[in-house]
Amino acid sequence: MPQDTADPVGGRAWQRRKRLDHILATAERVFAEAGFEGASMAELAAASGLPKANLHYYFGTKEALYTALLDSILDLWLSATDSIRPEADPAQALEAYIRTKMLWSRSRPFASKVFANEVLHGATHLRSYLAGPLRTLVQEKSRVVQGWIDAGRMQAIDPPHLFFAIWAMTQTYADFSVQIGAVLNRPELLPEDHAAGTDTILQLVLRGCGLEPQEPLPVAEAGRAAVAPPRRRRRG
Amino acid sequence: MPQDTADPVGGRAWQRRKRLDHILATAERVFAEAGFEGASMAELAAASGLPKANLHYYFGTKEALYTALLDSILDLWLSATDSIRPEADPAQALEAYIRTKMLWSRSRPFASKVFANEVLHGATHLRSYLAGPLRTLVQEKSRVVQGWIDAGRMQAIDPPHLFFAIWAMTQTYADFSVQIGAVLNRPELLPEDHAAGTDTILQLVLRGCGLEPQEPLPVAEAGRAAVAPPRRRRRG
DNA sequence: GTCTATAATATGATAGAC
DNA sequence: GTCTATCATATTATAGAC
């Protein structure tokens, strides 16, 4: 061992990274449930099984820990729109986007809640992200959607507001899961609830954009037997 | 003045009521911006122009003030679904409901944020409301919607999840206004932004439920001129 | 690098003068 | 009824032993 700058796999830096990730994962849950001010360093320490001072050693301040957590969430956030490309089929692209967002609401509900809490309270730590990368992304993807509209490939709609609607409908299954669970009379949301939500959102967006196969419409002519529900795959 | 139990208009009780309402109105804004733990009694006092002890005199504890505020918000909340009645026209009823919800997102954004914050953090103070009056209401209104579907008056859809989607899309213009404003590059949302949002939500829901006049659909046949946007009244 | 003990401050709540 | 002064506690943060 001629040099002590070496840091092989399993070394100190890796140990450190592992501990940082463990703290961040715990903080995601605690901050999601209590908010920034509602969560105390004592609570965060207890939840991660470490002494309070240890958290300060790794992150300095509570706010630094919080912003590190936000950064780790935003990394994930921007990549979801990959399916929205000019050459893609509009229906398939929107469906893939909605399914991806719904998957995250189920797999990363705490991340969604931390983000929601931050925006709800003014996005003090997110201003530059919202007005920067996010706005750029929405502008870019809106041009793609507008291109589909101009080419007659889908019904006209205001593209940015379409994105706002999709974000709202998908993220509500994470952020407002307590309300949805209470209304559906469940202790917590089941996979089939997410599946039914996905079906509903897909129907609203795809039909709303004129992208669903238009089955015989039940317009003014009642008296017919109830139309069969347009059940999609992955039904619960 | 033979009896001192009299309390005419302009009397002490009225003064008291006025002051309570003033405190609640201020608290709505402060709690919306900071959350329950994030808002301090000192901040609430400063915002309402009263000494801290005065707030404690009127409400006792911070939590009592907060729950009083929540109650005043819930009173408003349940009345929005009045238009959803069996004999109503589905399209008109849903449109009226969506417009009412959007109006509140514009006129009472702080109330919406307080509610959102409470649900986001587990709805500790709202459990009985969510599992009680709200669930009952959703069940009742879902039967109405299912009746419309069974009568062939609209496309099949999962009624509770339709309500979740409408809540999410409309309330996002209050709860996430900071994000929407940042993306649209505005210091704050303009009336025309709310109008464009209303148009988008109406299109998704009404067309999504098979309730919009089905204009010539731009299905597979491109090469045609861009279809005219289905602009609704009150456009910005 | 890790953790116990403690400092410095902010907060919810109240006693008691007016 | 109203408000100033103050208490008791909880919180962030750090000093310093190991």
Side-chain angles (χ1 to χ4, degrees):
Chain A
M1 37 299 239
Q3 63 228 35
D4 59 347
T5 58
D7 200 359
V9 176
R12 279 171 288 279
W14 183 79
Q15 289 280 349
R16 179 185 174 83
R17 185 69 246 169
K18 222 180 85 172
R19 235 160 272 159
L20 289 174
D21 286 345
H22 169 68
I23 295 172
L24 285 173
T26 306
E28 185 170 298
R29 179 168 51 79
V30 175
F31 277 127
E33 281 163 2
F36 177 71
E37 281 94 355
S40 69
M41 290 300 272
E43 193 181 352
L44 288 160
S48 58
L50 291 167
K52 229 173 28 165
N54 211 321
L55 269 56
H56 277 107
Y57 169 72
Y58 279 117
F59 289 95
T61 69
K62 181 186 177 183
E63 189 167 14
L65 167 55
Y66 180 70
T67 54
L69 172 63
L70 277 180
D71 283 345
S72 80
I73 292 174
L74 297 186
D75 281 349
L76 184 76
W77 238 230
L78 287 175
S79 64
T81 55
D82 290 351
S83 65
I84 316 274
R85 299 184 318 272
E87 68 276 19
D89 173 67
Q92 283 178 7
L94 289 173
E95 174 165 349
Y97 182 49
I98 289 167
R99 288 194 183 278
T100 300
K101 292 283 294 172
M102 282 298 279
L103 203 64
W104 285 352
S105 280
R106 200 168 73 214
S107 62
R108 295 287 299 271
F110 299 131
S112 185
K113 284 184 176 182
V114 169
F115 183 86
N117 186 67
E118 176 61 19
V119 173
L120 191 61
H121 297 349
T124 326
H125 305 85
L126 283 180
R127 285 282 171 168
S128 61
Y129 163 77
L130 295 180
L134 183 66
R135 176 156 80 216
T136 303
L137 183 76
V138 171
Q139 285 173 337
E140 180 189 329
K141 299 304 180 182
S142 290
R143 271 195 300 275
V144 174
V145 172
Q146 191 60 49
W148 291 338
I149 295 168
D150 293 342
R153 300 176 68 189
M154 61 180 276
Q155 180 70 43
I157 199 163
D158 192 315
H161 288 273
L162 172 62
F163 283 111
F164 302 151
I166 292 176
W167 296 344
M169 287 189 285
T170 53
Q171 289 170 200
T172 201
Y173 284 86
D175 305 339
F176 283 63
S177 61
V178 169
Q179 182 179 24
I180 295 176
V183 168
L184 295 181
N185 201 15
R186 310 200 194 294
E188 58 181 10
L189 293 192
L190 303 175
E192 61 220 60
D193 298 324
H194 281 269
T198 305
D199 288 348
T200 302
I201 297 168
L202 283 173
Q203 175 172 341
L204 293 180
V205 170
L206 296 185
R207 286 191 60 107
C209 294
L211 290 168
E212 278 275 85
Q214 301 291 332
E215 301 129 53
L217 276 170
V219 257
E221 22 171 348
R224 185 160 39 86
V227 302
R231 275 303 165 214
R232 312 187 66 88
R233 50 205 172 283
R234 189 182 309 187
R235 169 69 197 120
Chain B
M1 41 299 241
Q3 61 229 34
D4 60 346
T5 58
D7 199 358
V9 175
R12 279 172 287 279
W14 183 79
Q15 288 279 351
R16 179 185 173 82
R17 184 70 247 167
K18 222 180 84 172
R19 235 159 274 160
L20 289 175
D21 286 344
H22 169 68
I23 295 172
L24 285 174
T26 306
E28 186 171 299
R29 180 169 50 79
V30 175
F31 278 127
E33 282 164 0
F36 177 71
E37 281 94 355
S40 70
M41 290 300 273
E43 192 181 353
L44 288 159
S48 57
L50 291 167
K52 225 171 35 161
N54 212 321
L55 270 56
H56 277 106
Y57 170 72
Y58 278 117
F59 289 95
T61 68
K62 181 185 178 183
E63 189 167 14
L65 167 56
Y66 180 69
T67 55
L69 172 63
L70 277 180
D71 283 344
S72 79
I73 292 174
L74 296 186
D75 282 348
L76 183 77
W77 239 229
L78 287 175
S79 64
T81 55
D82 289 351
S83 64
I84 316 274
R85 298 183 319 273
E87 68 275 20
D89 172 68
Q92 284 178 8
L94 289 174
E95 174 165 351
Y97 181 49
I98 289 166
R99 288 194 183 279
T100 301
K101 292 284 295 172
M102 282 298 278
L103 204 64
W104 285 353
S105 280
R106 200 169 71 215
S107 62
R108 295 285 300 270
F110 298 131
S112 183
K113 284 183 177 181
V114 170
F115 183 85
N117 186 66
E118 176 61 21
V119 174
L120 191 60
H121 296 346
T124 327
H125 306 86
L126 283 179
R127 286 281 172 169
S128 61
Y129 161 79
L130 295 180
L134 183 65
R135 176 158 77 213
T136 304
L137 184 77
V138 171
Q139 285 173 338
E140 181 189 327
K141 299 304 180 182
S142 289
R143 271 194 300 274
V144 174
V145 172
Q146 191 59 51
W148 291 338
I149 295 168
D150 292 343
R153 300 176 69 190
M154 62 180 276
Q155 181 70 44
I157 198 165
D158 192 315
H161 288 273
L162 172 62
F163 283 111
F164 302 152
I166 292 175
W167 296 346
M169 286 188 286
T170 54
Q171 290 170 201
T172 201
Y173 284 86
D175 305 340
F176 283 63
S177 61
V178 169
Q179 183 178 24
I180 295 176
V183 168
L184 295 180
N185 201 15
R186 310 201 194 294
E188 59 181 8
L189 292 193
L190 304 174
E192 62 220 59
D193 297 325
H194 280 267
T198 305
D199 288 348
T200 302
I201 297 167
L202 283 171
Q203 174 173 339
L204 293 180
V205 170
L206 295 185
R207 285 190 61 107
C209 293
L211 290 167
E212 279 273 86
Q214 301 290 333
E215 301 129 54
L217 277 169
V219 256
E221 21 172 347
R224 184 163 37 88
V227 302
R231 274 304 165 214
R232 311 186 67 89
R233 49 203 173 286
R234 191 184 307 188
R235 168 69 196 118

